[in-house]
């Protein structure tokens, strides 16, 4: 297969325009500010930006309550500013994907205003109504503890409307062909303005059947194919990255058996077991999660992440596993959220321990998929647990020791910047770390560069190699006659491990360390023995540095035959 699927081997960086840089001094980040910061992102080496919602919105769910899908919220700028931004990205070779929030709208959206105005309005059937309170109104809440029900009575409409999320986010009736056509139109609009695709919000809910009589929602997977088909015709290299926290057995329904549905999905399964491995030092459930999420079409890719803008959802773990992660990374009630997750940022979760941060990032960059970094994690930003719900981890980027962290010059707005404690902007900021060769920022830049030099991770087939120590994960990738191998020690104590690469002949006998000088030569029995420091990690190229001369032009499977690794 030709290797021009850009999303298979890049590094995605997620940010929201409102928290990045405020150029016009009103206390809120804007597109002009973001445009001026593109050189920073270019320098960091990321290949794509995932831009969170920026459309007009009452802002009650950080922009995920959109009131006009075809505009830019005036606080952030204009459509003109947006196009300057996408153009600026293009000039620097950075792709932009934006959130596509079409499971619901804000209740201030003109469609909903029209829908509620009368029973026979043009948009009535764009939403999901019931004349009486449905029997299941107090089930299926996404935000338990905060959200009381999934059906709310609207006085003006004289009826109940369905909302999977907060009560100001009425669900769109996505089975309605008019709504489906509108979703395509929205995609077509933003594609025209320079984006390379979408992070599709809440996909399982978008495609689920909805209604007062629906007891068990059924996913209408065909819808995914129609989104993809439309996108591919409009712009061949545009993608959809699905937010779908689903069980591994349904992954293929989302990717499509013929690779005809979603291009990418976030790997929630691996995410949760990765945190479990970090908390418990037991990598076996993580290895199982990797195996369970292995089947995917050759054109599909996982988005590998540690933290995002939501809570770290631990809902798929068993109760004891979840308790172990809570205990290690979020012991206080105030750090937990929605009975299932942790709302903190990565650095405070890991106690600000640089060794653990590097270990976690190294794993994110070397597990199967494309890494997705959350803004601020590259400098180990902290959180502000005084802010409600998920807002604690959505504070402005910390650029410098200037007032308000160099984020804004507006004196009234500074309070949202973290200015107290060890994660305050005077200690943690880009300007300081830029000058320090050993900073987290410079480490992250190096690891991104190295990640780009191991396309085997993005494209290849992988194998978890037995190391006989559950605290250590050894994984090998093969692609086009080349192999790379990664070793991670979850334990705080040093570990000695011994393993064979599993490759025949001379090749597997030499492991060239990509990050330091300590290379490994196999013993007579073809085994490598490594001494790993606590939380240690290694990136190796198998065989030697003449690998580019050995790389084949086509994919060759283990038996030496042409073919793409499954
Ligand atoms: C997704 C978003 C989350 C938002 C919700 C409703 O889960 O990640 O932030 O609140 O959708 O749109």
């Amino acid at each position: 297969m030709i290797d021009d699927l850009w999303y298979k081997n890049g590094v995605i960086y997620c940010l929201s325009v409102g928290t990045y840089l405020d150029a016009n001094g009103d206390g809120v980040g804007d597109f002009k500010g973001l445009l001026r910061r593109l050189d920073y992102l270019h320098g960091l080496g990321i290949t794509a930006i995932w831009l969170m919602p920026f459309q007009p919105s009452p802002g009650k769910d950080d922009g995920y309550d959109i009131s006009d899908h075809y505009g830019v919220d005036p606080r952030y700028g204009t459509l003109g500013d947006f196009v300057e931004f996408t153009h600026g990205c293009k000039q620097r070779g950075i792709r932009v994907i934006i959130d596509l929030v079409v499971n619901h709208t804000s209740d201030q959206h003109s469609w909903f205003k029209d829908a509620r105005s009368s029973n026979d309005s043009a948009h009535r059937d764009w939403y999901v109504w019931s004349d009486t309170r449905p029997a299941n109104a107090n089930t299926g809440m996404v935000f338990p503890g905060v959200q009381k029900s999934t059906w709310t009575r609207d006085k003006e409409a004289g009826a109940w409307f369905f909302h999977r999320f907060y009560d100001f986010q009425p669900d769109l009736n996505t089975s309605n062909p008019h709504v489906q056509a509108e979703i395509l139109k929205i995609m077509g609009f933003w594609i025209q303005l320079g984006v390379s695709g979408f992070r599709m919000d809440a996909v399982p809910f978008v495609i689920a059947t909805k209604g007062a009589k629906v007891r068990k929602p059924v996913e209408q997977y065909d819808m995914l194919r129609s989104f993809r088909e439309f996108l591919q015709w409009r712009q061949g290299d545009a993608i959809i990255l699905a937010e779908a926290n689903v069980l591994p057995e349904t992954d293929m329904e989302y990717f499509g058996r013929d690779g005809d549905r979603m291009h990418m999905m976030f790997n929630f399964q691996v995410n949760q077991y990765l945190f479990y491995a970090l908390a418990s030092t037991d990598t076996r459930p993580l290895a199982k999660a990797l195996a369970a999420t292995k089947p995917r079409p050759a054109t599909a890719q996982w988005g590998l992440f540690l933290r995002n803008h939501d809570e770290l959802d631990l809902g798929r773990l068993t109760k004891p596993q979840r308790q172990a992660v809570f205990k290690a990374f979020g012991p206080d009630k105030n750090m937990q959220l929605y009975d299932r997750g942790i709302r903190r940022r990565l650095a405070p979760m890991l106690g600000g321990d640089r060794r653990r941060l590097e270990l976690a990032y190294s794993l994110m960059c070397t597990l199967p998929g494309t890494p997705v970094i959350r803004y601020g994690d590259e400098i180990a930003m902290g959180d502000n647990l005084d802010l409600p719900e998920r807002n604690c981890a959505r504070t402005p980027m910390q650029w410098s020791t200037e007032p308000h962290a160099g984020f804004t010059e507006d004196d009234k707005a500074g309070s949202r910047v973290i200015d107290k404690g060890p994660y305050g902007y005077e200690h943690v900021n880009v300007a300081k770390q830029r000058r320090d060769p050993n900073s987290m920022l410079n480490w992250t830049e190096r690891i991104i560069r190295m990640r780009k030099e191991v396309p085997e991770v993005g494209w290849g087939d992988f194998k978890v190699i037995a190391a006989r120590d559950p605290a250590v994960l050894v994984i090998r990738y093969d692609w086009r006659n080349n192999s790379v191998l990664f070793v991670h020690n979850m334990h705080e104590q040093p570990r000695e491990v011994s393993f064979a690469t599993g490759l025949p002949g001379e090749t597997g006998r030499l492991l060239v360390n990509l990050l330091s000088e300590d290379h490994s030569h196999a013993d007579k029995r073809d085994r490598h023995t490594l001494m790993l420091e606590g939380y240690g990690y290694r990136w190796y190229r198998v065989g030697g540095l003449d690998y580019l001369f050995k790389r084949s032009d086509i994919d060759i499977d283990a038996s030496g035959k042409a073919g793409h690794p499954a």
Side-chain angles (χ1 to χ4, degrees):
M1 193 204 331
I2 45 170
D3 40 356
D4 55 356
L5 308 182
W6 61 269
Y7 55 93
K8 294 275 288 188
N9 195 46
V11 178
I12 302 177
Y13 184 94
C14 146
L15 67 90
S16 67
V17 57
T19 54
Y20 221 55
L21 185 76
D22 169 27
N24 67 9
D26 67 354
V28 179
D30 46 51
F31 277 111
K32 277 204 182 111
L34 184 49
L35 181 62
R36 291 177 193 169
R37 278 299 183 205
L38 282 185
D39 292 324
Y40 166 75
L41 293 172
H42 192 217
L44 190 58
I46 54 111
T47 59
I49 293 172
W50 153 26
L51 188 64
M52 302 178 58
F54 54 81
Q55 292 85 350
S57 160
K60 289 164 96 177
D61 182 17
D62 209 26
Y64 283 90
D65 47 334
I66 293 178
S67 55
D68 173 8
H69 285 81
Y70 298 101
V72 169
D73 192 291
R75 291 173 307 157
Y76 304 144
T78 63
L79 276 176
D81 295 330
F82 178 80
V83 171
E84 282 303 293
F85 159 71
T86 53
H87 176 71
C89 289
K90 195 170 166 197
Q91 276 194 310
R92 290 165 181 83
I94 299 174
R95 306 257 182 181
V96 179
I97 60 177
I98 64 170
D99 254 283
L100 180 66
V101 188
V102 290
N103 175 64
H104 47 264
T105 67
S106 158
D107 57 3
Q108 297 308 305
H109 200 294
S110 61
W111 303 336
F112 189 69
K113 287 186 180 165
D114 180 50
R116 70 176 8 158
S117 70
S118 115
N119 211 348
D120 46 30
S121 75
H123 293 95
R124 185 70 166 198
D125 196 37
W126 282 41
Y127 294 86
V128 186
W129 300 100
S130 172
D131 289 337
T132 52
R133 183 177 189 274
N136 56 2
N138 52 5
T139 60
M141 283 81 75
V142 173
F143 305 124
V146 182
Q147 182 191 355
K148 297 275 173 302
S149 80
T150 48
W151 287 87
T152 294
R153 197 182 128 78
D154 186 60
K155 252 206 206 133
E156 197 184 329
W160 297 71
F161 67 91
F162 175 64
H163 53 90
R164 176 62 72 184
F165 296 90
Y166 298 109
D167 59 5
F168 51 81
Q169 289 166 318
D171 266 51
L172 281 164
N173 176 10
T174 42
S175 297
N176 179 336
H178 291 288
V179 172
Q180 292 175 2
E182 192 73 31
I183 294 174
L184 302 186
K185 192 166 148 190
I186 293 167
M187 288 202 274
F189 178 80
W190 293 105
I191 284 292
Q192 209 67 25
L193 298 188
V195 310
S196 291
F198 304 92
R199 177 258 186 199
M200 197 167 186
D201 191 51
V203 178
F205 299 131
V206 173
I207 63 172
T209 47
K210 313 179 186 193
K213 299 217 167 64
V214 174
R215 285 193 179 197
K216 208 174 168 296
V218 179
E219 286 84 9
Q220 307 163 92
Y221 294 113
D222 280 353
M223 279 169 69
L224 300 178
R225 185 185 157 102
S226 68
F227 298 149
R228 165 106 182 218
E229 211 170 49
F230 170 85
L231 201 58
Q232 227 79 96
W233 275 109
R234 282 285 167 100
Q235 186 175 300
D237 60 353
I239 66 152
I240 301 181
L241 163 55
E243 184 212 19
N245 184 350
V246 295
L247 288 169
E249 44 269 36
T250 42
D251 289 343
M252 281 308 248
E253 301 286 5
Y254 284 85
F255 286 134
R257 273 172 217 288
D258 297 325
D260 55 344
R261 292 175 184 167
M262 305 284 95
H263 304 74
M264 287 187 84
M265 288 214 276
F266 287 109
N267 199 331
F268 282 94
Q269 190 80 6
V270 163
N271 176 263
Q272 309 192 17
Y273 286 101
L274 176 52
F275 276 97
Y276 178 69
L278 292 170
S280 69
T281 76
D282 184 358
T283 63
R284 286 168 299 186
L286 173 61
K288 264 195 202 155
L290 291 170
T293 55
K294 191 170 182 184
R296 62 184 145 94
T299 54
Q301 184 61 302
W302 287 114
L304 241 297
F305 65 105
L306 292 166
R307 289 289 291 112
N308 60 21
H309 62 297
D310 291 327
E311 80 286 2
L312 165 65
D313 187 340
L314 302 168
R316 301 263 178 244
L317 302 181
T318 63
K319 206 164 173 214
Q321 288 173 334
R322 189 161 44 248
Q323 288 313 323
V325 183
F326 277 150
K327 191 166 164 235
F329 301 138
D332 300 349
K333 265 272 164 265
N334 187 32
M335 298 167 175
Q336 302 169 8
L337 196 60
Y338 311 137
D339 308 327
R340 61 169 179 245
I342 299 178
R343 64 189 191 117
R344 308 172 83 189
R345 263 205 186 247
L346 186 68
M349 277 173 68
L350 299 180
D353 185 333
R354 175 69 181 269
R355 297 168 308 161
R356 290 189 106 177
L357 285 168
E358 288 187 18
L359 175 74
Y361 261 104
S362 172
L363 279 161
M364 182 181 78
C365 287
T366 60
L367 291 178
T370 295
V372 185
I373 301 183
R374 170 116 175 103
Y375 83 89
D377 280 359
E378 74 272 29
I379 54 168
M381 257 171 66
D383 47 41
N384 176 1
L385 293 175
D386 292 340
L387 296 173
E389 288 181 70
R390 295 161 291 163
N391 291 341
C392 61
R394 298 172 177 181
T395 59
M397 184 69 179
Q398 298 173 192
W399 296 110
S400 67
T401 48
E402 302 286 298
H404 315 302
F407 162 71
T408 179
E409 294 193 312
D410 177 68
D411 273 339
K412 293 180 291 313
S415 59
R416 287 174 58 234
V417 172
I418 296 180
D419 55 6
K420 286 194 264 314
Y423 296 98
Y425 69 85
E426 290 186 8
H427 308 292
V428 177
N429 66 65
V430 172
K432 208 166 147 183
Q433 294 197 19
R434 197 184 272 125
R435 292 187 205 107
D436 172 3
N438 296 318
S439 67
M440 188 74 203
L441 177 63
N442 281 318
W443 181 87
T444 308
E445 184 210 312
R446 272 201 310 281
I447 217 72
I448 290 176
R449 166 156 50 79
M450 204 44 88
R451 173 61 182 77
K452 288 155 109 177
E453 290 196 42
V454 285
E456 288 82 0
V457 179
W459 287 97
D461 192 14
F462 73 91
K463 194 171 172 5
V464 172
I465 292 178
R468 296 202 201 110
D469 180 346
V472 178
L473 185 76
V474 184
I475 188 166
R476 191 192 80 218
Y477 291 85
D478 306 316
W479 182 64
R480 300 202 174 167
N481 208 27
N482 275 306
S483 299
V484 287
L485 186 144
F486 304 95
V487 185
H488 290 89
N489 173 19
M490 311 290 154
H491 211 284
E492 63 175 331
Q493 298 296 326
R495 294 303 239 228
E496 191 181 77
V497 283
S498 163
F499 58 88
T501 60
L503 293 168
E506 268 306 294
T507 322
R509 298 188 48 79
L510 174 62
L511 297 177
V512 179
N513 193 319
L514 294 173
L515 302 170
S516 74
E517 286 295 345
D518 92 75
H519 313 301
S520 173
H521 298 268
D523 63 16
K524 283 196 219 83
R525 290 159 44 243
D526 283 344
R527 291 188 76 80
H528 292 268
T529 302
L530 311 176
M531 189 58 171
L532 297 160
E533 60 286 357
Y535 304 130
Y537 58 93
R538 301 280 187 277
W539 292 32
Y540 293 114
R541 195 160 267 295
V542 185
L545 290 180
D546 58 347
Y547 67 101
L548 289 179
F549 299 111
K550 294 183 186 153
R551 185 181 287 174
S552 57
D553 292 337
I554 52 162
D555 301 311
I556 298 173
D557 67 19
S559 64
K561 286 201 219 89
H564 195 277

